[in-house]
Amino acid sequence: MGIYAYICFLFGISILLAFITHKISDRVQSTIAITASAMVGSLVLLLLGFLGWLRLDNVATHIMEELDFKNFLLNGMLGFLLFAGALGIKLPLMKDQRWEIATFALFSTLFSTLMIGALIYYAASLLGWQIDFIYCVVFGSLISPTDPIAVLAIIKNLRAPKRLSMQVEGESLFNDGVGLVIFTTIFAVAFGGEEASISGISTLFLHEAVGGILFGLITGTVSHYLISATDDGSLEILITLTIPTTGFMVANFMHVSGALAMVVSGILIGNWTRRHGFSEQSQRYLDHFWEMVDHSLNSLLFLLIGLALLLVDFTWASSIMMLIAIPACLLSRYISVWLPFKVMQRFRQYNPYTVRILTWGGLRGGLALAMALSIPSHVALMTGDDVVVDVRDLILLMTYAVVTFSILVQGVTIEKMIERSKLVDPKRQAYVKLGAGDDYSPDV
């Protein structure tokens, strides 16, 4: 079978698992259930292979390697998922939270990157293992951004207070693009031979980030006028489809951030074009079409996250670092959010659960795994007494541990925290000024 056949087969499994989850209980997040089911299936295949029965683990591993999860997500699904997520962002709410979103996306992501890198470096040193600091920062850069795919898929349906929800969703969408740019920049220094200078790093960062935002503005504007020039509902939806396909590929070809371009384009189409370019019927078509695309691709992605366990190589040394990585990431996330929050709290009132939800709801997902899989093997090592671990395998295992903990533990338990936040929201009246007061209630 070829790659297309593998995708069709896995897509069928993901939709079947989503259907079964829905039939069992409406309260269970299908993405969490799909990931857990895929992980259990992977463990069963590995156990059967270890016992010498069936040997299906080799077949499954071959399928995952042939599929190339990294390219499939970073150069394919990512554009669709980010564009679909950005379509649902309400600009009035985002404007109200623009400073919070910008601060968390820029400062918190960069601070967390450096703090995680430092914690991993010193933890390894205390254990008597040596690993270059730059590779620890590479891990920090790929694991620090909260994954909008995971966040939107799990938190969006829990109906958090609108302002708090916008902080979580808006930050995840933008720090995804920022995180990719930071990772690309540090990756170029660590593995690409780029000069580790302030000017060199700044140039790389600005080219990716600013170029991606400008390209997104251009793509969204051109699409807006094309959509406004036709009354054919089907053609209007097809034009939106060219953004995460042609637009995303062109952005990557120009070496600007396709992720940021998709977010900016999605916000433009979801707000400006929705009001002035689509008829009421076309608006319904737009929402239904992209909701279907988002749901189906999310189901496939979370299945692949569970099956990615087949690609992880366990050693005792990397397993110890894996256990250290989870609290290191949580601590770094908390401090990186708490510091700017204490400053912003002087100027406006926030939900008392804001820092806790931003920390515990800062989920990681397939994007971090894809970036970890892009690290070249047999280039760098973590060494010590009787310890030689490939840095790629180490980073991949730590990433997988944080991602699965994020989805299976944080994703399951965040609901109770959000339910509590609904009962103590101090800015309920603020939503009236934002045009959302008519449909707001403590349970929204």
Side-chain angles (χ1 to χ4, degrees):
M1 292 193 295
I3 294 177
Y4 178 72
Y6 295 146
I7 293 174
C8 291
F9 179 68
L10 294 172
F11 181 76
I13 293 176
S14 67
I15 299 302
L16 178 61
L17 289 173
F19 175 81
I20 293 172
T21 302
H22 176 72
K23 284 297 182 180
I24 293 174
S25 174
D26 288 337
R27 292 187 62 83
V28 178
Q29 293 288 329
S30 62
T31 49
I32 296 174
I34 290 171
T35 303
S37 300
M39 287 186 67
V40 171
S42 299
L43 288 171
V44 170
L45 290 176
L46 290 172
L47 178 61
L48 291 175
F50 177 76
L51 296 175
W53 300 344
L54 299 179
R55 307 301 303 178
L56 292 176
D57 58 321
N58 292 333
V59 176
T61 303
H62 173 72
I63 291 175
M64 287 297 294
E65 291 173 345
E66 284 290 310
L67 188 60
D68 194 352
F69 179 78
K70 172 183 71 72
N71 282 325
F72 186 57
L73 176 59
L74 291 181
N75 297 325
M77 293 173 65
L78 183 62
F80 288 91
L81 292 166
L82 290 180
F83 180 75
L87 282 175
I89 293 293
K90 304 303 180 187
L91 205 52
L93 275 172
M94 193 181 76
K95 285 181 178 178
D96 178 66
Q97 296 295 300
R98 61 187 180 277
W99 295 114
E100 289 85 346
I101 292 172
T103 302
F104 293 141
L106 293 170
F107 170 81
S108 297
T109 303
L110 185 57
F111 182 91
S112 177
T113 294
L114 297 174
M115 184 173 177
I116 290 173
L119 289 174
I120 295 299
Y121 177 78
Y122 286 113
S125 297
L126 287 174
L127 292 169
W129 302 331
Q130 297 300 315
I131 177 174
D132 288 349
F133 181 68
I134 187 65
Y135 302 126
C136 299
V137 177
V138 168
F139 172 68
S141 69
L142 67 88
I143 206 65
S144 289
T146 56
D147 191 328
I149 301 166
V151 170
L152 295 176
I154 294 175
I155 291 185
K156 190 176 182 181
N157 296 326
L158 298 181
R159 297 173 64 80
K162 288 185 176 68
R163 177 167 285 165
L164 181 55
S165 177
M166 180 52 60
Q167 289 171 4
V168 177
E169 295 175 21
E171 182 217 357
S172 68
L173 280 168
F174 280 95
N175 79 1
D176 164 64
V178 171
L180 268 173
V181 173
I182 293 174
F183 172 75
T184 302
T185 304
I186 296 176
F187 183 94
V189 174
F191 301 104
E194 294 287 341
E195 182 184 355
S197 63
I198 298 297
S199 59
I201 292 174
S202 300
T203 301
L204 280 171
F205 183 87
L206 290 174
H207 177 77
E208 286 269 346
V210 177
I213 292 172
L214 290 176
F215 185 77
L217 287 171
I218 295 170
T219 303
T221 302
V222 171
S223 300
H224 168 80
Y225 285 111
L226 290 175
I227 291 169
S228 301
T230 179
D231 294 324
D232 188 327
S234 299
L235 184 57
E236 289 172 341
I237 302 303
L238 286 175
I239 291 173
T240 66
L241 192 59
T242 64
I243 296 175
T245 52
T246 307
F248 189 64
M249 288 298 104
V250 171
N252 290 337
F253 178 77
M254 295 171 62
H255 300 291
V256 299
S257 175
L260 284 174
M262 293 304 100
V263 172
V264 172
S265 297
I267 291 173
L268 282 177
I269 299 298
N271 290 271
W272 183 29
T273 311
R274 183 189 294 275
R275 289 196 305 269
H276 304 294
F278 288 106
S279 65
E280 288 188 15
Q281 186 178 29
S282 294
Q283 289 179 27
R284 290 193 293 271
Y285 288 160
L286 177 76
D287 293 334
H288 291 161
F289 175 78
W290 282 105
E291 183 180 355
M292 178 192 69
V293 170
D294 185 49
H295 183 73
S296 58
L297 289 182
N298 265 312
S299 298
L300 177 58
L301 174 60
F302 280 84
L303 177 72
L304 292 173
I305 290 174
L307 293 176
L309 180 62
L310 297 166
L311 303 176
V312 177
D313 184 21
F314 289 86
T315 64
W316 71 271
S318 57
S319 296
I320 292 174
M321 294 302 298
M322 170 191 77
L323 297 176
I324 293 172
I326 295 173
C329 289
L330 285 173
L331 177 62
S332 300
R333 171 67 178 172
Y334 178 81
I335 295 177
S336 69
V337 170
W338 180 81
L339 286 173
F341 179 78
K342 294 304 288 185
V343 176
M344 293 184 292
Q345 202 173 26
R346 296 175 179 269
F347 303 98
R348 67 190 308 179
Q349 194 174 10
Y350 294 95
N351 190 294
Y353 283 85
T354 297
V355 173
R356 278 172 281 184
I357 289 178
L358 284 170
T359 301
W360 202 247
L363 308 179
R364 278 78 169 190
L367 185 59
L369 277 177
M371 288 189 281
L373 286 166
S374 69
I375 295 172
S377 58
H378 309 299
V379 171
L381 301 173
M382 181 179 76
T383 59
D385 294 337
D386 301 323
V387 171
V388 178
V389 179
D390 192 318
V391 163
R392 179 187 186 272
D393 293 338
L394 173 65
I395 291 178
L396 181 57
L397 181 57
M398 291 193 297
T399 303
Y400 194 77
V402 174
V403 167
T404 52
F405 181 87
S406 169
I407 295 172
L408 300 182
V409 178
Q410 294 173 236
V412 169
T413 55
I414 189 66
E415 183 174 3
K416 291 183 179 179
M417 200 177 294
I418 289 179
E419 290 296 332
R420 291 172 188 161
S421 74
K422 296 178 185 179
L423 304 177
V424 294
D425 187 11
K427 296 297 288 181
R428 177 180 176 184
Q429 298 302 319
Y431 299 118
V432 177
K433 299 178 183 178
L434 295 173
D438 294 338
D439 61 351
Y440 179 77
S441 69
D443 296 327
V444 174

